[in-house]
Amino acid sequence: FPSNRLGSVARYLGVNTCGEHRALVDVLTTKALLEQMLIDLSEVGVSTLDHLVAAQGGPLGWPRRESIPLPPEIQEALTGDGRIWIRYLSAGGRETHREVTPLRVTVRGGYLYLVAVCHLRNEQRTFRLDRVLEMAPAV
């Protein structure tokens, strides 16, 4: 195709569109494009899902997620329902000391976050791991 934009592909294949970039119109245009492509592919013997998978070069696997190495204190607390003590630097530059029970570690915007129950107020909180200055098992 000259361009892979939805409207460009639709025009190239002769599929009518009206109101590009409206959610329902885009869905209906995509459906019409798939139907047109299936008609075109059936002319060269592609008529089943197996044929479609083979025509695009084989099955596409989901990218593997690398496991994230966690500090041993967090790993041990996650597997044993334990508590850890952290010295934490807030976004505003304030240093606090907390006792937390880790629940999970997540990735957002390129940063690792510890989701934990903070026992200061007994509420779930999220701590950016690069702002944890120190940690140890809670005593």
Side-chain angles (χ1 to χ4, degrees), residues 69-132:
L70 297 175
E73 296 88 352
I74 293 175
Q75 188 64 50
E76 289 171 18
L78 284 169
T79 57
D81 293 328
R83 292 182 179 196
I84 58 173
W85 169 86
I86 62 172
R87 187 166 59 96
Y88 186 73
L89 187 64
S90 73
R94 189 168 153 247
E95 187 177 308
T96 62
H97 300 251
R98 308 284 179 105
E99 189 171 313
V100 300
T101 299
L103 301 173
R104 65 187 172 281
V105 174
T106 63
V107 179
R108 258 191 340 222
Y111 292 101
L112 289 174
Y113 290 87
L114 172 65
V115 180
V117 174
C118 177
H119 296 286
L120 181 65
R121 291 187 181 86
N122 203 31
E123 296 176 334
Q124 183 173 304
R125 296 281 191 231
T126 303
F127 302 94
R128 212 168 92 177
L129 278 182
D130 64 319
R131 292 188 183 146
V132 175

Side-chain angles (χ1 to χ4, degrees), residues 30-92:
T30 302
K31 176 185 177 283
L33 283 174
L34 176 60
E35 289 170 344
Q36 183 61 49
M37 289 179 184
L38 291 172
I39 290 168
D40 293 346
L41 288 168
S42 70
E43 293 173 5
V44 293
V46 176
S47 60
T48 67
L49 181 57
D50 287 338
H51 292 153
L52 283 171
V53 170
Q56 65 89 33
L60 297 176
W62 291 101
R64 289 183 54 133
R65 282 184 71 175
E66 299 292 323
S67 62
I68 301 167
L70 297 175
E73 296 88 352
I74 293 175
Q75 188 64 50
E76 289 171 18
L78 284 169
T79 57
D81 293 328
R83 292 182 179 196
I84 58 173
W85 169 86
I86 62 172
R87 187 166 59 96
Y88 186 73
L89 187 64
S90 73

